Amino acid sequence: MKDLETSATDQADNNDASNANIGKFVDPKITAKGDTRATVALSNPQTLWFNTGTLCNIECENCYILSSPKNDALVYITADEVSDYLTQLKDQNWGVREIAFTGGEPFMNPEMIEITRRSLAAGYEVLILTNAMRPMMRKSMQAGLLELNAAYPGKLTMRISVDHYDADNHDKERGQGSFETTIKGMSWLRDNGIAMATAGRTVWGENDAQSRQGYADLFERNNFNIDAQNPGMTVLFPEMDENIEVPEITTDCWGILNKSPNDIMCSSSRMVVKRKGADKPAVLACTLLAYAPKFELGETLAEAERDVALNHPHCAKFCVLGGASCSRN
Ligand code: SF4
Ligand code: SF4
């Protein structure tokens, strides 16, 4: 059996050349059909993401970053490393509003409270993606969250993964009993006035309205102050199937689809990761492609200011097309 790090690398390779997309997503400038590939400029930086490390307390079906209790392909980022990027942010004058953290499970990182403290102290809003399970509920993490939420009111939000509003469906993805544990964690956040958003999946054949109604009922039953109708508060993600054929995105696509590069996530964010064995962290184009080497832009924010070539199936499927099609491809 392969180790997880190798599997992650293989996944990156497969992402680029799955059977359905052979010959595509190769040249950063030109598509397989010889057209000019679309690029996205960092036109409006809003969020700097950090991956806190890929270790997670659980191992979900279909975790996009293959997190588990064993996968440390991305190691814990330290508070000092985060501070270095916060300084770079000021130097580069990006004007971002928010520092956001994803994992793995961020509260597995022993420095998570100090990392959060430094981000808040630097004047940013902080968003932490968490499963709200045991790592967040440890006494030291609870105490830190209470202290920081009191010191920086309205600046700290937890976005909790609730794959489905139905316990059985959630547990199929995340393991028996995980729904109940997450609801307990969310209840603790509710009781202590810590702001919450949620992230779910849309893999059960429901339409958007049905999903949102299900979440609305769950939030009402539990008195959670989360707006199920607001896509920014209740974020619903499609499944990320690497093997579906997708067209490549050319410069013509913007006009055909009536979309702007400024609508795409890599126009407004970057993500810092620390790879196992690396001396320093690296800056990636976005949160979706943690293992794809060609989306690593350099070690510094200055290097990461360059345009991103939309040279991956995810760019087409999740970011540009979103279910539409670009007829010239
Ligand atoms: S809780 Fe999140 S990071 Fe952890 S395995 Fe599940 S989806 Fe991945
Ligand atoms: S998947 Fe591609 S288009 Fe989407 S944010 Fe990442 S680099 Fe940009």
Side-chain angles (χ1 to χ4, degrees):
M1 186 178 159
K2 292 176 188 174
D3 65 42
L4 281 161
E5 194 175 358
T6 310
S7 297
T9 310
D10 286 356
Q11 188 205 32
D13 294 344
N14 290 339
N15 285 349
D16 293 352
S18 65
N19 286 340
N21 291 303
I22 282 178
K24 296 180 181 177
F25 305 104
V26 177
D27 187 316
K29 294 199 167 128
I30 306 283
T31 68
K33 289 186 178 170
D35 295 319
T36 305
R37 186 179 303 286
T39 58
V40 169
L42 184 67
S43 56
N44 178 30
Q46 287 286 311
T47 304
L48 183 61
W49 287 88
F50 289 89
N51 187 295
T52 56
T54 37
L55 284 174
C56 190
N57 55 309
I58 56 175
E59 184 169 3
C60 299
E61 292 283 330
N62 303 315
C63 173
Y64 88 100
I65 203 165
L66 303 173
S67 284
S68 75
K70 289 188 184 157
N71 180 6
D72 62 352
L74 304 181
V75 296
Y76 290 145
I77 200 140
T78 68
D80 286 347
E81 286 162 346
V82 170
S83 286
D84 178 51
Y85 284 95
L86 296 177
T87 303
Q88 290 184 46
L89 266 183
K90 295 264 186 276
D91 293 345
Q92 296 305 117
N93 201 20
W94 276 14
V96 311
R97 170 182 60 79
E98 173 187 64
I99 305 296
F101 298 98
T102 183
E105 166 51 49
F107 290 103
M108 298 278 283
N109 184 318
E111 296 194 42
M112 194 59 218
I113 293 299
E114 182 59 20
I115 287 170
T116 306
R117 183 193 316 282
R118 293 188 192 186
S119 304
L120 289 165
Y124 299 104
E125 295 172 26
V126 169
L127 175 70
I128 304 176
L129 276 49
T130 176
N131 55 35
M133 296 174 83
R134 169 92 186 125
M136 187 194 83
M137 293 294 275
R138 286 179 291 162
K139 291 253 173 300
S140 59
M141 297 296 166
Q142 285 185 331
L145 286 175
L146 292 177
E147 180 208 327
L148 293 175
N149 194 49
Y152 299 94
K155 296 288 188 185
L156 181 60
T157 301
M158 303 289 131
R159 191 167 90 194
I160 298 103
S161 300
V162 181
D163 281 343
H164 197 251
Y165 51 82
D166 175 80
D168 287 344
N169 283 336
H170 178 96
D171 285 2
K172 269 181 215 144
E173 295 275 329
R174 295 187 164 240
Q176 191 65 35
S178 58
F179 183 84
E180 192 184 340
T181 308
T182 289
I183 294 296
K184 271 188 198 157
M186 293 176 78
S187 300
W188 180 83
L189 292 166
R190 172 200 64 203
D191 291 345
N192 289 285
I194 297 174
M196 288 189 278
T198 197
R201 293 178 192 240
T202 56
V203 290
W204 286 277
E206 297 166 324
N207 63 32
D208 189 77
Q210 289 167 327
S211 294
R212 292 192 183 282
Q213 189 56 51
Y215 281 100
D217 294 344
L218 172 71
F219 300 156
E220 191 179 347
R221 274 200 308 279
N222 289 280
N223 201 19
F224 294 154
N225 183 21
I226 305 172
D227 183 353
Q229 306 305 331
N230 178 342
M233 292 280 282
T234 299
V235 187
L236 299 177
F237 289 106
E239 212 61 303
M240 301 178 90
D241 185 343
E242 320 292 349
N243 295 311
I244 289 176
E245 186 182 3
V246 284
E248 297 189 273
I249 304 300
T250 72
T251 47
D252 285 347
C253 285
W254 303 123
I256 294 166
L257 297 169
N258 196 23
K259 280 203 169 187
S260 162
N262 298 332
D263 300 333
I264 308 300
M265 180 169 52
C266 47
S267 73
S268 60
S269 65
R270 292 287 185 261
M271 180 166 80
V272 178
V273 304
K274 177 103 180 270
R275 297 196 193 285
K276 189 176 185 178
D279 289 340
K280 291 186 173 172
V283 189
L284 312 186
C286 72
T287 58
L288 296 178
L289 298 167
Y291 299 125
K294 61 193 175 195
F295 289 83
E296 188 165 319
L297 304 176
E299 288 179 353
T300 65
L301 295 186
E303 290 169 288
E305 281 178 357
R306 64 193 158 96
D307 296 358
V308 177
L310 303 197
N311 195 14
H312 192 282
H314 285 4
C315 305
K317 181 157 189 259
F318 297 104
C319 297
V320 179
L321 296 176
S325 75
C326 183
S327 62
R328 288 192 205 166
N329 285 280

